[in-house]
């Protein structure tokens, strides 16, 4: 049996089975419905098993046909994906890039830079998936992940994309006028606090500070909880409580007086954010361009 004919007929069978119609499948394959029907008859004879149930109105798979469809259709999908991916090897900024990132880097570090990058490279497809949970970017087929440098696995290549992340405690003047300003870290435990939740199992209600050169942790009351940083920021601006946020997230509001920060001499600073990817990852021109676009340009500054 000619292998190419067998392959072509299997592909035609997948189209018929998926579309449930000889007419629609024939249109997709650019052949005549009668010719396609004869090819399916020949395929069934060669395999010595009935694959399709035919009526005057519809076509459906037999049990054997369904098994063949479920096993072969994914293979054809993979082949099509790989053929499509070959465009990534050209010099053009094209192809698809998938990034897994927490919320803050997506808003503060990635989107402000990719905005113009996408306009300049219209053939590039970009997927930014906001996810505050840790994930295996290789298993989940992401090209890049974004995490704090201390959280990137050693078998990954990490590229710094931000300055160091300093946290700060802030509240709106409205809240301070109503409830007063805490004078010591321990007083935070008696205030209404707005807490960020990374996932249902982990809430950021243990705030960290550097007090007398020692790490101090204060567990605050979870008066309001959001799993989106943008809502935490909005709630603190609305005077609903005190929040512990990255300073870069609220620096404009602090400068304008919309928010007041305190305990600044005890702010803790965490490592910079990094874009990371697998060491053996093939990097297309578009991926290389994105790496350089996001790379921290002042690496000897914080």
């Amino acid at each position: 049996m000619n292998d190419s004919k067998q392959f072509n007929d299997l592909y035609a069978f997948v189209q018929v089975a998926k579309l449930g119609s000889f007419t629609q499948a024939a249109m997709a394959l650019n052949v005549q419905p009668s010719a396609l029907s004869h090819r399916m008859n020949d395929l069934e004879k060669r395999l010595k098993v009935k694959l399709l149930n035919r009526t005057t109105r519809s076509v459906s798979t037999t049990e054997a046909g369904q098994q063949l469809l479920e096993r072969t259709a994914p293979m054809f999908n993979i082949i099509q994906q790989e053929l499509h991916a070959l465009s990534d090897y050209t010099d053009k900024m094209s192809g698809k890039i998938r990034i897994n990132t927490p919320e803050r880097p997506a808003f503060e570090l990635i989107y402000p830079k990719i905005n113009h990058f996408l306009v300049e490279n219209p053939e590039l497809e970009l997927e930014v998936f906001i996810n505050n949970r840790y994930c295996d970017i290789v298993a989940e087929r992401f090209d890049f992940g974004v995490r704090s440098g201390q959280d990137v696995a050693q078998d990954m290549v990490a590229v710094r994309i931000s300055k160091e992340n300093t946290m700060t405690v802030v509240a709106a003047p409205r809240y301070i006028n109503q409830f007063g300003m805490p004078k010591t870290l321990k007083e935070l435990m008696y205030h209404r606090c707005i807490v960020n939740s990374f996932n249902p199992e982990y809430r950021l209600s243990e705030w960290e500070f550097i007090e007398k050169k020692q790490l101090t942790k204060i567990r605050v009351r979870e008066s309001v909880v959001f799993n989106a940083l943008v809502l935490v920021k909005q709630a603190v601006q609305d005077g609903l409580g005190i929040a512990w946020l990255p300073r870069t997230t609220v620096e404009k509001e602090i400068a304008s007086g919309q928010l007041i920060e305190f305990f600044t001499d005890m702010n803790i600073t965490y490592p910079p954010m990094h874009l990371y990817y697998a060491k053996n990852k093939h990097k297309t021109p578009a991926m290389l361009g994105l790496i350089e676009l996001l790379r921290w340009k002042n690496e000897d500054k914080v």
Side-chain angles (χ1 to χ4, degrees):
M1 173 58 59
N2 186 300
D3 288 341
S4 62
K5 177 175 175 54
Q6 190 89 321
F7 183 87
N8 291 338
D9 287 349
L10 280 174
Y11 181 73
F13 160 75
V14 169
Q15 301 311 306
V16 173
K18 286 170 65 175
L19 295 171
S21 165
F22 277 107
T23 302
Q24 292 183 38
M27 290 177 61
L29 296 168
N30 196 27
V31 297
Q32 292 297 319
S34 58
L36 183 57
S37 179
H38 286 308
R39 286 174 62 182
M40 293 302 97
N41 287 332
D42 290 343
L43 179 64
E44 289 177 327
K45 289 179 182 178
R46 294 199 302 272
L47 297 178
K48 298 179 181 180
V49 63
K50 187 175 179 60
L51 301 174
L52 298 168
N53 293 314
R54 301 168 173 83
T55 69
T56 55
R57 295 186 177 182
S58 65
V59 178
S60 62
T61 55
T62 63
E63 184 175 349
Q66 185 63 28
Q67 176 179 295
L68 183 63
L69 173 67
E70 291 175 356
R71 293 183 178 179
T72 56
M75 299 178 187
F76 283 111
N77 289 338
I78 292 172
I79 291 171
Q80 289 175 332
Q81 290 170 8
E82 293 303 321
L83 289 174
H84 179 71
L86 287 177
S87 64
D88 294 345
Y89 287 83
T90 69
D91 292 333
K92 294 166 57 178
M93 290 287 191
S94 61
K96 178 182 287 189
I97 298 176
R98 302 183 72 228
I99 306 175
N100 185 291
T101 174
E103 177 188 6
R104 185 180 71 86
F107 281 91
E108 295 182 15
L109 303 175
I110 297 176
Y111 186 76
K113 292 186 176 181
I114 64 170
N115 190 344
H116 297 295
F117 187 65
L118 291 174
V119 172
E120 294 168 358
N121 300 284
E123 294 186 36
L124 177 63
E125 298 176 34
L126 183 67
E127 177 181 335
V128 177
F129 185 81
I130 295 178
N131 177 20
N132 290 319
R133 296 172 179 262
Y134 292 103
C135 87
D136 183 338
I137 62 168
V138 176
E140 298 188 33
R141 299 181 67 82
F142 286 99
D143 299 297
F144 298 108
V146 177
R147 292 292 166 191
S148 171
Q150 63 187 2
D151 297 326
V152 177
Q154 291 184 352
D155 60 345
M156 294 286 171
V157 177
V159 178
R160 180 178 174 178
I161 61 172
S162 80
K163 62 182 180 181
E164 292 181 339
N165 179 29
T166 297
M167 303 294 292
T168 192
V169 178
V170 291
R174 173 182 171 184
Y175 177 87
I176 294 173
N177 291 337
Q178 184 175 1
F179 297 102
M181 182 183 293
K183 295 181 175 57
T184 66
L185 292 179
K186 289 186 177 179
E187 286 186 24
L188 285 171
M189 296 186 291
Y190 306 105
H191 278 262
R192 292 180 55 81
C193 291
I194 306 166
V195 172
N196 188 25
S197 175
F198 290 135
N199 58 61
E201 295 78 34
Y202 179 53
R203 297 175 175 183
L204 201 59
S205 56
E206 190 173 68
W207 298 356
E208 296 183 339
F209 303 88
I210 300 298
E211 187 177 22
K212 297 178 181 178
K213 298 184 179 181
Q214 298 293 321
L215 177 64
T216 298
K217 298 182 180 182
I218 302 294
R219 180 154 310 265
V220 300
R221 180 158 55 106
E222 300 173 1
S223 298
V224 185
V225 179
F226 294 109
N227 71 335
L229 201 63
V230 64
L231 290 176
V232 175
K233 178 179 176 179
Q234 186 61 57
V236 72
Q237 287 181 264
D238 291 341
L240 300 183
I242 297 174
W244 184 57
L245 292 168
R247 199 177 190 285
T248 54
T249 301
V250 290
E251 57 189 359
K252 291 182 180 179
E253 289 73 21
I254 292 171
S256 67
Q258 295 178 60
L259 293 176
I260 296 172
E261 61 178 337
F262 32 96
F263 305 130
T264 56
D265 58 331
M266 291 182 278
N267 283 346
I268 191 169
T269 297
Y270 296 114
M273 301 301 293
H274 285 70
L275 184 78
Y276 66 94
Y277 55 92
K279 288 183 178 178
N280 60 351
K281 179 73 176 177
H282 166 72
K283 294 178 289 299
T284 65
M287 290 174 63
L288 291 171
L290 185 68
I291 291 171
E292 290 308 309
L293 178 74
L294 297 179
R295 186 188 298 274
W296 176 245
K297 300 303 190 296
N298 301 298
E299 296 193 353
D300 45 339
K301 298 181 181 181
V302 295

